[in-house]
Amino acid sequence: MTDQPKTETGRISRRGLLGASAAAGASALAAPAVAQEQATLEWKMVTSWPKNLPGPGVTAQHIADRIELMSGGRLRVRLYAAGELVPALGVFEAVSAGTAQMAHTASFFWQGKIPASVYFTAIPFGLLPHEHITWIEQGGGQALWDELYAPFGLRPVMAGNTGVQMGGWFKREINTLDDLKGLKIRMPGLGGEVMHRLGATPVSLPPAELFQALDSGVLDATEFLGPWSDRAMGFQKAAKSYYTPGFHEPNGTGEALFNKVALEGLPEDLGAIVLEACKAENGRSLAESDWENAGALKLLQEEDGVTVRPYPDDVLDALRETSAVVLSEFASKDALSQRIYDSHMAARARLAPWSDVAMRRFLEARDS
């Protein structure tokens, strides 16, 4: 039972009734404002991946789902796979222009417009996944990444990791450096430039077009990610030689792009949820990729007739030497590129001795 405004004799007074009515009216007027504050927001996420592609496609959907769950449904993210709203390689412009509030992609796709962007996915003979995360979070990498994308109205963050990559699928064996000459290969980022310097012909294609291109002969070779994603793409049906190591991508950081105005316009708690959902995906997806890659590699070899081949030593030596030249040249393009290069190389110099002592030596001892 609710208390009624009363006079000293217990009867309802006119003044009390008016006061109660006014309070009720104020409450009613306040209700829409509260409801408005709690209203569901809807965002669009565009991606560079086929829908639910093992690895990055799964990661993109997982991030969208986690944002809705952690926000209690206050922020819903509708995912558009490559080609559904914008082309796979059109997501950068789409988020910059506000067509979508966020994207899931990989930074090396923007090498043509921002050469230094490649450092935030991977560079040849660069950082391993755990080393890359350390550079971004502890070594100043995030601040440089923010500065690089700021002119486009974008905020980039790490959003998943497909781990150490493979060297690629080749329709013919690579036995000498001469075998790279004239080779039509899809290899984005600086790895493609390294291959070009050694006589290959890099071809730029989005992920969804790679199998058909390899199968039809438009490509002689292609790299993508690791065994899990690659097997789902069907590359083993078009080529049987699978090369290692993935010199060009020792790390597979996924990139979430945010329209800066949209991100900063969120309530503080929702903004934190969005960023934490991306951050949490770095660990989850890396564990998933390592587990699934191990299983898929076994299937490729035992059921699909694939042969895993190492790059010959002289080819690896040439790739390493050419990579050093390419990286140095790219660093000299502008002051910010030089700072990013210097920061990345400083992180590698700091972390490599520890990785050697803590990991390489242990693996040799464990698995010998």
Side-chain angles (χ1 to χ4, degrees):
M1 178 179 293
T2 58
D3 294 335
Q4 299 289 346
K6 298 180 181 180
T7 64
E8 292 180 354
T9 59
R11 292 175 295 177
I12 299 174
S13 70
R14 178 178 177 85
R15 180 176 295 178
L17 181 60
L18 289 173
S21 298
S27 177
L29 288 171
V34 172
Q36 186 176 10
E37 290 176 4
Q38 298 298 322
T40 298
L41 299 175
E42 294 193 357
W43 271 18
K44 297 183 181 74
M45 178 202 288
V46 290
T47 82
S48 295
W49 325 114
K51 195 170 186 65
N52 289 322
L53 172 71
V58 171
T59 281
Q61 186 62 63
H62 197 264
I63 289 171
D65 293 342
R66 293 296 292 177
I67 290 172
E68 181 171 350
L69 178 64
M70 290 194 295
S71 70
R74 290 168 55 208
L75 178 56
R76 294 176 182 169
V77 179
R78 181 175 178 182
L79 187 150
Y80 293 86
E84 290 184 342
L85 186 62
V86 298
L89 302 185
V91 301
F92 188 98
E93 289 81 3
V95 178
S96 179
T99 302
Q101 290 82 13
M102 67 178 295
H104 192 269
T105 182
S107 67
F108 58 33
F109 289 140
W110 324 130
Q111 178 181 332
K113 65 165 84 336
I114 320 173
S117 66
V118 296
Y119 285 87
F120 299 97
T121 297
I123 61 168
F125 298 99
L127 301 173
L128 288 166
H130 70 285
E131 294 173 327
H132 183 89
I133 292 171
T134 302
W135 173 53
I136 295 293
E137 292 194 350
Q138 301 294 322
Q142 184 65 59
L144 291 166
W145 201 4
D146 290 343
E147 184 178 351
L148 188 67
Y149 283 31
F152 303 92
L154 297 172
R155 169 79 189 280
V157 298
M158 294 183 295
N161 199 308
T162 50
V164 178
Q165 313 293 281
M166 286 290 286
W169 298 85
F170 290 73
K171 301 185 81 168
R172 62 176 187 263
E173 291 184 33
I174 303 300
N175 296 309
T176 69
L177 274 173
D178 286 340
D179 293 327
L180 295 180
K181 298 187 186 309
L183 187 82
K184 295 174 293 183
I185 184 170
R186 185 267 189 182
M187 183 174 281
L190 296 184
E193 178 61 23
V194 171
M195 282 288 189
H196 174 66
R197 301 280 180 101
L198 294 176
T201 303
V203 180
S204 179
L205 289 173
E209 298 177 21
L210 295 181
F211 171 77
Q212 184 60 36
L214 186 64
D215 192 47
S216 67
V218 171
L219 292 174
D220 301 314
T222 186
E223 65 76 53
F224 186 50
L225 295 174
W228 183 35
S229 300
D230 289 5
R231 191 169 190 264
M233 295 284 276
F235 297 135
Q236 71 278 6
K237 300 173 185 176
K240 295 299 183 182
S241 291
Y242 199 22
Y243 274 82
T244 183
F247 77 94
H248 61 301
E249 289 180 41
N251 170 63
T253 291
E255 174 183 71
L257 292 174
F258 296 98
N259 180 283
K260 195 172 181 181
V261 172
L263 182 62
E264 293 177 354
L266 289 175
E268 185 177 0
D269 63 329
L270 289 186
I273 284 171
V274 167
L275 295 177
E276 286 300 316
C278 293
K279 186 173 183 178
E281 191 63 17
N282 295 324
R284 191 209 67 83
S285 62
L286 184 57
E288 179 181 57
S289 290
D290 280 350
W291 185 261
E292 296 294 346
N293 279 335
L297 180 63
K298 183 178 176 66
L299 294 175
L300 287 169
Q301 293 175 294
E302 296 182 359
E303 296 187 8
D304 300 325
V306 171
T307 300
V308 175
R309 302 182 186 277
Y311 282 117
D313 289 343
D314 63 331
V315 173
L316 268 180
D317 289 342
L319 290 169
R320 187 185 307 106
E321 293 167 5
T322 307
S323 293
V325 174
V326 168
L327 289 169
S328 179
E329 289 180 4
F330 265 67
S332 66
K333 286 181 177 294
D334 56 77
L336 181 53
S337 293
Q338 185 69 54
R339 287 165 50 212
I340 292 170
Y341 168 84
D342 291 343
S343 176
H344 190 280
M345 298 307 289
R348 193 178 82 167
R350 178 186 178 106
L351 296 171
W354 171 237
S355 292
D356 179 59
V357 169
M359 297 183 65
R360 192 202 317 270
R361 306 291 178 179
F362 171 75
L363 289 174
E364 289 174 354
R366 187 190 70 179
D367 299 333
S368 62

